[in-house]
Amino acid sequence: YEAAVSELGRAAQLDPNSAKYALGLGEALLRWRHDSVALQYLLAVQTKFAKDPLYEFELGLAYYYLTQYPLALKEFENVAQEQPKSSRVQYLMGGAYQALGEMDKAEDCYRKAIALKPDEASYYLVLASLLKKAHPADLTEPVSLSAKALALSPDNEDVKLLLASCYQTQGKLAEA
């Protein structure tokens, strides 16, 4: 990502009003996991691009990566209103709510993410994991969700581990 950041930075300097270059630079910094730098940059260009949903998403992502979950949620909620069919926004909102201990809201967001993109194994995995922690006495749904995730991503070790853990807790050692 270093080369992309360099090129996009140069392009953004040459055309400072270009959302394409400015937000491309923000995205490249985030993908490179230079989260603090990305946040500083995004805040510096806020006056030009604040109303752009991609800007709000990238700003939310920077806050999320820096564990500033209330600020991330503010941005993600704006994006969710403008782009209600974005499964990734729902997924990230679920993660932020979960980090803040708001498990019911996290569960709702994860369920929305699954409804919007039912072929994404990671969505099933996070919901199954959350439900396993929230309701350890009833693992029926976490097992079902884990099985769906495993069907979508048969090599996913995290899903296999969660499913085995559920079976072990249920006393189904042969399945574990």
Side-chain angles (χ1 to χ4, degrees):
Y1 294 103
E2 187 174 354
V5 166
S6 178
E7 290 300 316
L8 286 164
R10 212 168 294 131
Q13 286 177 337
L14 293 172
D15 189 358
N17 294 318
S18 168
K20 176 182 175 182
Y21 297 138
L23 300 180
L25 178 56
E27 180 182 353
L29 287 166
L30 288 167
R31 287 182 183 262
W32 196 16
R33 293 309 308 261
H34 282 63
D35 306 325
S36 295
V37 174
L39 178 59
Q40 289 173 357
Y41 172 74
L42 290 167
L43 291 173
V45 299
Q46 187 170 31
T47 55
K48 291 181 185 173
F49 306 109
K51 298 299 180 193
D52 188 309
L54 181 57
Y55 172 83
E56 292 174 317
F57 178 79
E58 288 181 8
L59 184 60
L61 199 55
Y63 284 135
Y64 184 90
Y65 287 159
L66 293 168
T67 67
Q68 296 179 24
Y69 299 115
L71 295 171
L73 280 168
K74 178 180 171 270
E75 299 303 325
F76 291 150
E77 286 169 355
N78 289 339
V79 176
Q81 286 181 358
E82 295 170 25
Q83 298 179 351
K85 295 187 182 206
S86 173
S87 64
R88 187 160 184 228
V89 170
Q90 291 298 325
Y91 172 76
L92 291 166
M93 285 175 55
Y97 281 125
Q98 187 171 356
L100 293 170
E102 297 185 45
M103 300 308 173
D104 289 340
K105 288 183 179 179
E107 180 181 340
D108 289 344
C109 289
Y110 292 147
R111 289 188 188 283
K112 286 178 187 173
I114 289 169
L116 291 166
K117 191 170 184 195
D119 61 345
E120 182 59 54
S122 61
Y123 297 172
Y124 292 95
L125 174 63
V126 293
L127 180 57
S129 180
L130 179 132
L131 293 174
K132 181 179 184 266
K133 290 175 190 164
H135 310 289
D138 182 10
L139 298 178
T140 306
E141 189 173 11
V143 167
S144 173
L145 291 165
S146 297
K148 287 179 184 174
L150 193 58
L152 292 167
S153 183
D155 296 327
N156 188 317
E157 296 300 321
D158 292 330
V159 174
K160 291 177 184 179
L161 183 60
L162 179 61
L163 189 55
S165 171
C166 288
Y167 285 142
Q168 182 181 15
T169 302
Q170 290 176 320
K172 299 178 180 178
L173 300 181
E175 284 128 327

